């Protein structure tokens, strides 16, 4: 009889809308409690979505899962996995949830941009003080917005901005023409910044995008423009942003920061013109059903021996 392959899931089997594939042994694991079965035998693990504990979870898991075949992430980004690549068993595949939660993250990106443009952070502070202080803020209509990154999130952001009457400028690693219009390459960013009214960061964190918005590029943004970041905090030079926002020259709306979590007392918290949400872009009431549906599809592919979705290119790890 063929050995039943162990699968660890952050959801219980009864939470799925239908039966899971036969031939697999399912175990619930929240990432923080004791292992639900012998970790030396687990073949497929869906990493529990606990952002603040990802390093702890991966360290425990990958030091014990000797026969792991699939590491399924529930995030689009995977930069936090880098320190653990050397612990992956030879031949193990890593799959992301790219595209699963793009709509929710894009929704927050546009919300942050609108809130920043219309000064909702300022009005909220006045609200807390009981002050009626009308002010004139810009409209989004007619503004030029650079959307950096043309993955699932970036494309969804661009699509949502068009109805507001924005001139959307798409930018990604390589320049190309698409059905949605021209996409500029990263090397064009500096030349585009002086004329834009807002920049929305949706790109993954890579060696190329780390500090993409450094002091020199922030300085190129015109007075009063807005920087929105729903990607990774490390895409932005935080100290340079503090200086620019502190002077009142730039505004920012951030769902991600560096460092993260942002410590109490950090200057970003108190700067006027800066709006912060605590990395909640993907976490809506749609997160669980979307994750469950995606996991079920991936398990079906795995059980049938088919190629998984969103498998990362081969990453050579030292063993």
């Amino acid at each position: 009889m063929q050995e039943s392959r162990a699968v660890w899931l952050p959801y219980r089997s009864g939470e799925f809308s239908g039966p899971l594939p036969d031939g697999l042994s399912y175990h619930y694991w929240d990432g923080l409690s004791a292992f639900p079965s012998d970790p030396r035998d687990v073949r497929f693990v869906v990493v529990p979505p606990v952002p603040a504990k990802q390093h702890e979870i991966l360290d425990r898991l990958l030091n014990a899962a000797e026969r792991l075949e699939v590491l399924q992430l529930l995030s689009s980004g995977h930069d936090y996995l880098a320190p653990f690549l050397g612990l992956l068993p030879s031949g193990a595949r890593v799959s992301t949830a790219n595209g699963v939660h793009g709509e929710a993250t894009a929704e927050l990106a546009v919300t942050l941009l609108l809130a920043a443009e219309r000064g909702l952070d300022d009005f909220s502070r006045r609200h807390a003080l009981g002050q009626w202080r009308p002010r004139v803020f810009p409209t989004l209509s007619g503004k030029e917005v650079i959307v950096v990154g043309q993955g699932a999130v970036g494309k969804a952001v661009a699509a949502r901005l068009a109805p507001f009457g924005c001139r959307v400028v798409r930018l990604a690693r390589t320049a190309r023409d698409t059905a949605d219009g021209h996409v500029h390459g990263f090397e064009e960013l500096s030349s585009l910044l002086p004329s834009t009214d807002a920049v929305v960061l949706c790109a993954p964190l890579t060696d190329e995008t780390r500090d993409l918005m450094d002091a020199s590029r922030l300085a190129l943004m015109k007075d009063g423009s807005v920087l929105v970041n729903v990607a990774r905090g490390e895409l932005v030079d935080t100290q340079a942003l503090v200086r620019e926002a502190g002077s009142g020259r730039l505004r920012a709306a951030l769902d991600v920061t560096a460092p993260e979590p942002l410590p109490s007392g950090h200057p970003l918290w108190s700067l006027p013109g800066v709006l912060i949400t605590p990395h909640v872009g993907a976490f809506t009431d749609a997160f669980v059903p979307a994750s469950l549906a995606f996991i079920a599809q991936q398990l079906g592919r795995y059980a049938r021996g088919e190629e998984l979705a969103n498998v990362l290119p081969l990453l050579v790890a030292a063993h």
Side-chain angles (χ1 to χ4, degrees), residues 61-272:
L61 171 67
L62 296 180
N63 272 295
E66 301 173 357
R67 303 171 69 188
L68 185 68
E69 296 175 358
V70 177
L71 184 70
Q72 175 65 61
L73 309 180
L74 286 181
S75 60
S76 298
H78 54 85
D79 49 280
Y80 56 88
L81 186 61
F84 306 97
L85 294 180
L87 299 177
L88 284 169
S90 178
R93 291 166 288 171
V94 178
S95 175
T96 72
N98 184 40
V100 175
H101 313 298
E103 299 292 318
T105 303
E107 181 180 83
L108 181 63
V110 175
T111 299
L112 289 172
L113 178 56
L114 281 168
E117 282 287 75
R118 297 306 301 266
L120 295 193
D121 59 312
D122 179 79
F123 292 129
S124 179
R125 290 187 179 98
R126 301 299 180 189
H127 183 141
L129 297 172
Q131 297 177 343
W132 183 275
R133 297 278 182 85
R135 285 184 59 188
V136 174
F137 283 95
T139 176
L140 199 54
S141 178
K143 298 300 190 298
E144 180 176 287
V145 181
I146 296 176
V147 179
V148 180
Q150 286 300 293
V153 176
K155 289 178 180 177
V157 168
R160 281 163 171 72
L161 288 176
F164 287 100
C166 298
R167 299 191 303 276
V168 178
V169 177
R170 296 171 175 83
L171 189 137
R173 185 173 61 85
T174 55
R176 57 188 181 272
D177 290 313
T178 72
D180 296 321
H182 183 67
V183 176
H184 298 266
F186 280 163
E187 70 278 1
E188 300 176 73
L189 178 58
S190 294
S191 64
L192 294 169
L193 286 172
S195 64
T196 197
D197 299 286
V199 176
V200 183
L201 301 177
C202 308
L205 177 62
T206 65
D207 290 341
E208 190 175 10
T209 60
R210 188 179 297 275
D211 283 334
L212 183 71
M213 297 303 296
D214 58 12
S216 63
R217 286 201 171 111
L218 290 172
L220 290 172
M221 294 177 67
K222 67 182 183 182
D223 293 357
S225 56
V226 179
L227 177 69
V228 177
N229 191 1
V230 294
R232 286 289 188 269
E234 290 82 1
L235 268 65
V236 179
D237 181 334
T238 299
Q239 293 309 309
L241 180 60
V242 167
R243 290 192 295 271
E244 293 284 5
S247 72
R249 204 183 71 78
L250 298 182
R251 291 172 288 150
L254 312 171
D255 187 47
V256 290
T257 60
E260 188 174 305
L262 193 65
S264 175
H266 193 284
L268 278 176
W269 284 118
S270 57
L271 288 179

